Amino acid sequence: MSKIIGLYGTAGWVPEDAWLHSAGASLWIDGKHISTISEERLTREKHDGNFPNLSIDYVLEVADISRDDIDLVSYVESVHSVSRKDSIESILNREFSNATIKFCDHHKAHASASFYTSPFSEASILSFDGAGSAFIGGGYETGLYAIGDKKEGIYVVYHSINGNKQHITFNLGQIYNNISRWCYSKIEPKKAAAFTNPYIFMETAPGKIMGLSAYGDKDKVDLPNLFALNNDKFYFPYIYDSAVLTEAQLDKYDCKDIAAWLQFQFEEILVEFFKKCPIKSGNLVLGGGCGLNVLANSAIKKTGVFEDIFIFPATNDSGLCFGGAISEVVKEEKEIKDLGYLGFLGKQYSESEIEDAIQEIK
């Protein structure tokens, strides 16, 4: 019997020292998904990134097993984990005394969650967000492009490693976030100022600005393109940031027009990338926080480059513990058993608990 748990969260430090969000735990037994939950659902602290003690206890309770019963722990890395790897392993060995400890790359976890839950036997995979794992010697990742085959696994075609380059590759998440926070601060200055944690602000602004883009006119903005595509046929084509804008440049325009222009820039470079990408499958799966941009996903779909597109419901960091676990499950079990509907992962409630909650509201 194989018992695998995927984890994401701080381990040996606290978010105040090096912020991390969306901690959680995902338990699998003999290739079957048992339970996955985010720590915030139990602590009621939005974006909770602490070591997922309550999440671990919850998923183990669902299966009626203990930490000593776990065979393998898959810990998903972040930009803060590389320098703490020995400490993290020591903590996990203490918490799961009989388990093998493995580390899972941040974007590999995103990619695994999206691909192995998709209906496709083969697919192109793009995972991209603000930042993922860091690397020994410097640099950090912002994206990963791969080809997935459910018989052969995930073959990584391009893995962004940034930090020592003139341009940052697949940096769409950071740039979209930076300009989104500028827009939000202009429209809702009091709400923006109320964010005492700048990282929570980062998790809040982009979705609102994507919505705002519908009210603006991109053609009213005359600024340099944010992104460009390296397609010189020597390297695999990749997106890189081509302009760094100042607040003074942005201040010349209405926020809603900047939002429309930003969204257009984001969509257009992705469409161009996929049209020119020389290595791709008939279908596409998207992972990472940028996979939540539904307007861009729709724009890609409309090109007809891919037959279909799939996005894992928890494609942002809240799904990393799930991705870390499933990446090991496919190695151990070779087959994923019926996953069922994945849109409502989390805590289960009995009818009596639901009735009690309704009575409290009344």
Side-chain angles (χ1 to χ4, degrees):
M1 181 175 283
S2 174
K3 301 180 183 69
I4 295 173
I5 193 167
L7 301 179
Y8 187 62
T10 64
W13 78 96
V14 293
E16 288 74 18
D17 295 333
W19 200 68
L20 186 150
H21 65 96
S22 303
S26 181
L27 178 65
W28 299 64
I29 298 179
D30 287 348
K32 182 180 180 181
H33 175 246
I34 304 300
S35 181
T36 298
I37 194 166
S38 292
E39 191 75 356
E40 69 169 26
R41 302 299 179 179
L42 301 169
T43 64
R44 312 309 296 173
E45 179 184 336
K46 189 66 174 173
H47 304 302
D48 195 338
N50 287 288
F51 187 77
N53 266 312
L54 295 183
S55 299
I56 293 167
D57 290 342
Y58 179 80
V59 299
L60 294 178
E61 183 180 352
V62 170
D64 193 25
I65 60 174
S66 71
R67 298 189 184 199
D68 290 342
D69 294 318
I70 296 297
D71 299 306
L72 189 152
V73 176
S74 178
Y75 178 85
V76 180
E77 295 182 305
S78 68
V79 291
H80 306 300
S81 61
V82 64
S83 62
R84 299 174 166 90
K85 211 159 187 175
D86 290 343
S87 174
I88 294 169
E89 189 166 10
S90 177
I91 290 167
L92 295 177
N93 277 321
R94 183 190 69 209
E95 294 296 318
F96 301 92
S97 58
N98 298 316
T100 299
I101 309 301
K102 292 192 176 182
F103 290 85
C104 182
D105 172 82
H106 188 100
H107 279 286
K108 188 68 177 291
H110 277 315
S112 297
S114 289
F115 176 61
Y116 290 116
T117 58
S118 77
F120 313 133
S121 58
E122 297 180 4
S124 294
I125 306 167
L126 177 64
S127 172
F128 58 139
D129 58 20
S133 298
F135 298 94
I136 295 173
Y140 60 95
E141 60 175 1
T142 51
L144 173 155
Y145 180 74
I147 300 296
D149 183 316
K150 286 184 177 172
K151 291 182 179 179
E152 303 295 330
I154 294 175
Y155 167 70
V156 177
V157 178
Y158 182 90
H159 201 164
S160 68
I161 302 178
N162 299 296
N164 301 313
K165 296 180 180 180
Q166 181 181 0
H167 299 294
I168 300 179
T169 60
F170 282 100
N171 195 31
L172 290 83
Q174 287 186 9
I175 291 177
Y176 197 102
N177 202 310
N178 291 341
I179 298 178
S180 292
R181 282 179 286 153
W182 173 86
C183 285
Y184 190 99
S185 297
K186 293 294 181 181
I187 296 169
E188 296 282 4
K190 290 184 179 179
K191 289 183 179 180
F195 283 101
T196 55
N197 186 327
Y199 300 104
I200 293 180
F201 191 12
M202 290 172 62
E203 295 302 307
T204 303
K208 297 183 182 300
I209 301 310
M210 181 181 67
L212 178 65
S213 68
Y215 297 91
D217 183 351
K218 65 177 178 60
D219 294 329
K220 291 182 178 180
V221 178
D222 183 19
L223 289 172
N225 289 334
L226 293 170
F227 311 107
L229 185 69
N230 180 339
N231 191 33
D232 62 9
K233 296 185 170 60
F234 181 78
Y235 295 103
F236 181 78
Y238 59 80
I239 298 167
Y240 65 92
D241 53 327
S242 59
V244 178
L245 302 180
T246 65
E247 288 194 10
Q249 288 174 288
L250 296 172
D251 284 338
K252 295 177 182 179
Y253 301 97
D254 189 291
C255 296
K256 64 179 182 295
D257 295 330
I258 287 290
W261 173 79
L262 171 64
Q263 180 63 36
F264 176 77
Q265 293 270 315
F266 187 88
E267 292 174 16
E268 284 297 290
I269 198 66
L270 285 172
V271 167
E272 183 182 0
F273 168 74
F274 284 121
K275 283 183 175 180
K276 295 182 178 178
C277 182
I279 305 172
K280 54 180 174 277
S281 179
N283 296 297
L284 172 68
V285 299
L286 296 170
C290 290
L292 295 174
N293 194 303
V294 296
L295 298 178
N297 299 346
S298 178
I300 296 167
K301 173 72 173 172
K302 288 176 182 177
T303 65
V305 171
F306 297 101
E307 295 174 20
D308 207 351
I309 298 177
F310 176 82
I311 298 98
F312 178 56
T315 190
N316 61 355
D317 283 5
S318 63
L320 283 172
C321 60
F322 183 99
I326 201 171
S327 68
E328 291 298 330
V329 170
V330 295
K331 296 175 188 176
E332 295 285 322
E333 304 295 337
K334 307 300 181 187
E335 179 183 358
I336 303 297
K337 297 180 181 177
D338 181 33
L339 288 170
Y341 182 62
L342 296 172
F344 296 127
L345 298 181
K347 191 173 181 180
Q348 299 178 352
Y349 296 92
S350 66
E351 289 188 6
S352 61
E353 286 176 311
I354 295 171
E355 290 173 357
D356 289 344
I358 293 172
Q359 292 302 320
E360 287 181 13
I361 295 172
K362 291 181 178 179

